[in-house]
């Protein structure tokens, strides 16, 4: 029996293909920047990058191809949860406090071609959710929603302990993980068929568009799809007051494999990924990129 068990284990190991990750390029992004840069976000093709300052009050756009840096917004909050819709638009939310100390949030859309922004959700008291999509993205609040022209592909956002999936005019709500304090960082795979999100206290979860759990990847944060098969994430530890370690990891989306891309002592965090490229920042606000080849 023991010999048979060992043979079965060996056969399983031989059947599982070894993942080989080669870093084609690793370098500092915008080394001439004088101010720290945080919250990087890549577009779907990986050739444009959003980033902001420590206060999330200056949202900027960097073009890897031309080397140009454009200021999208200088309003408070604009860099907090900005994101791309394909290669056409950027969505972001600004915030201000009134004389009663109430926070009002305004939704904005920035057109990449005209380099012009406009308000798509008027100032309102309450949360504004990012509606992520390959096409047809937008912003959602209790008072209403703005969404670009709907397509047959899905859009997704999270609200408290629900994943909300939008397809055309249909909205479906799922609670795949019970007992979580909330869901964070939802995103669609590039093929638009799966959703990654973080269930607070339980880590990254992958579901299909019907809310079925496909994999649980572990207690990591800030997942970002590298391609249809791999997710990049942050793995950080703290002592209750400050970070004690932080690194970037690569995870197979089916939960079968993982590897570290940076060391725990590097204090690297806030990864974003697209089309084989990864960009992240360090705790002191230095941006880095790496291009990966996975065999």
């Amino acid at each position: 029996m023991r010999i048979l068990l060992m043979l079965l284990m060996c056969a399983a190991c031989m059947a599982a293909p070894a993942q080989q990750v080669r870093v084609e390029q690793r370098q500092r992004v915008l080394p001439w920047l004088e101010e720290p840069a945080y919250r990087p976000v890549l577009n779907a093709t990986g050739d444009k990058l959003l980033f902001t300052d420590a206060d999330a009050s200056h949202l900027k756009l960097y073009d890897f191809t031309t080397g140009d840096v454009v200021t999208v917004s200088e309003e408070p909050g604009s860099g907090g949860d900005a994101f791309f819709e394909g290669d056409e638009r950027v969505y972001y939310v600004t915030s201000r406090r009134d004389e009663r100390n109430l926070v009002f949030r305004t939704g904005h859309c920035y057109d990449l071609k005209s380099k012009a922004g406009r308000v798509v959700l008027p100032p309102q008291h309450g949360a504004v959710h990012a509606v992520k999509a390959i096409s047809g993205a937008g912003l959602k609040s209790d008072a209403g929603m703005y969404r670009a022209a709907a397509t047959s592909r899905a859009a997704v956002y999270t609200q408290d302990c629900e994943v909300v999936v939008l397809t055309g005019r249909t909205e479906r709500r799922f609670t795949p993980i019970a007992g979580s304090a909330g869901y964070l960082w939802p995103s669609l795979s590039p093929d638009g068929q799966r959703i990654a999100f973080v269930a607070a206290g339980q880590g990254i979860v992958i579901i299909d568009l019907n809310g079925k759990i496909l994999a649980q990847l572990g207690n990591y944060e800030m997942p970002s799809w590298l391609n249809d098969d791999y997710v990049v994430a942050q793995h950080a530890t703290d002592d209750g007051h400050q970070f004690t370690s932080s690194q970037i990891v690569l995870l197979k989306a089916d939960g079968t494999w993982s590897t570290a891309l940076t060391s725990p002592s590097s204090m690297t965090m806030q990864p974003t990924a697209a089309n084989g490229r990864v960009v992240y920042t360090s705790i002191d606000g230095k941006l880095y990129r790496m291009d990966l080849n996975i065999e």
Side-chain angles (χ1 to χ4, degrees):
M1 178 64 73
R2 182 177 297 178
I3 294 175
L4 178 60
L5 181 59
M6 291 177 64
L7 289 173
L8 289 172
M9 291 174 64
C10 289
C13 290
M14 292 176 65
Q19 309 295 308
Q20 300 294 327
V21 181
R22 186 168 66 250
V23 179
E24 302 287 1
Q25 185 171 201
R26 189 196 304 260
Q27 66 183 48
R28 177 94 180 270
V29 178
L30 299 173
W32 48 264
L33 272 182
E34 295 182 0
E35 68 274 11
Y38 296 98
R39 298 178 179 85
V41 179
L42 283 167
N43 66 338
T45 52
D47 62 352
K48 293 180 177 63
L49 179 75
L50 295 170
F51 64 94
T52 187
D53 58 358
D55 297 325
S57 60
H58 290 74
L59 178 62
K60 295 186 178 182
L61 172 68
Y62 171 58
D63 190 318
F64 282 95
T65 303
T66 65
D68 294 336
V69 176
V70 176
T71 298
V72 175
S73 173
E74 294 183 328
E75 295 185 64
S78 57
D81 195 20
F83 64 99
F84 287 97
E85 180 198 14
D87 292 317
E88 298 180 3
R89 304 174 186 88
V90 170
Y91 291 96
Y92 63 96
V93 178
T94 58
S95 60
R96 64 172 179 82
R97 293 182 182 272
D98 67 4
E99 62 279 1
R100 296 173 295 169
N101 208 33
L102 295 176
V103 177
F104 283 78
R105 297 175 177 87
T106 303
H108 302 259
C109 178
Y110 177 85
D111 185 270
L112 295 175
K113 293 181 180 178
S114 66
K115 297 183 179 180
R118 60 191 176 95
V119 172
V120 294
L121 282 180
Q124 54 207 275
H125 180 54
V128 175
H129 306 283
V131 180
K132 305 288 183 68
I134 309 302
S135 180
L139 298 167
K140 170 72 169 62
S141 72
D142 291 339
M145 173 183 286
Y146 174 82
R147 188 178 173 195
T151 69
S152 59
R153 306 185 80 174
V156 62
Y157 69 94
T158 57
Q159 186 171 14
D160 299 325
C161 292
E162 291 183 317
V163 177
V164 185
V165 179
L166 304 171
T167 306
R169 295 180 179 274
T170 303
E171 178 181 289
R172 294 175 295 160
R173 293 173 175 264
F174 305 106
T175 305
I177 302 293
S180 172
Y183 296 166
L184 304 166
W185 300 302
S187 62
L188 279 164
S189 58
D191 64 6
Q193 298 302 307
R194 287 158 295 158
I195 299 164
F197 68 96
V198 170
Q202 304 202 39
I204 298 174
V205 182
I206 308 293
I207 63 173
D208 65 16
L209 299 183
N210 294 312
K212 178 183 177 182
I213 297 175
L214 302 177
Q216 291 183 249
L217 307 189
N219 198 17
Y220 305 103
E221 309 91 29
M222 305 189 74
S224 182
W225 293 89
L226 180 73
N227 53 36
D228 285 324
D229 299 313
Y230 292 89
V231 172
V232 175
Q234 168 185 297
H235 183 212
T237 61
D238 64 80
D239 60 7
H241 301 283
Q242 60 185 5
F243 288 111
T244 55
S245 71
S246 189
Q247 66 183 136
I248 309 303
V249 296
L250 177 66
L251 311 166
K252 198 164 186 183
D254 62 5
T256 61
W257 178 87
S258 66
T259 190
L261 297 176
T262 63
S263 67
S265 61
S266 67
M267 302 302 283
T268 48
M269 53 190 60
Q270 299 176 350
T272 177
N275 198 29
R277 173 168 291 174
V278 181
V279 175
Y280 54 92
T281 190
S282 60
I283 197 167
D284 56 351
K286 294 181 174 63
L287 292 171
Y288 296 90
R289 69 175 263 198
M290 62 173 70
D291 296 337
L292 302 181
N293 188 322
I294 304 173
E295 300 174 357

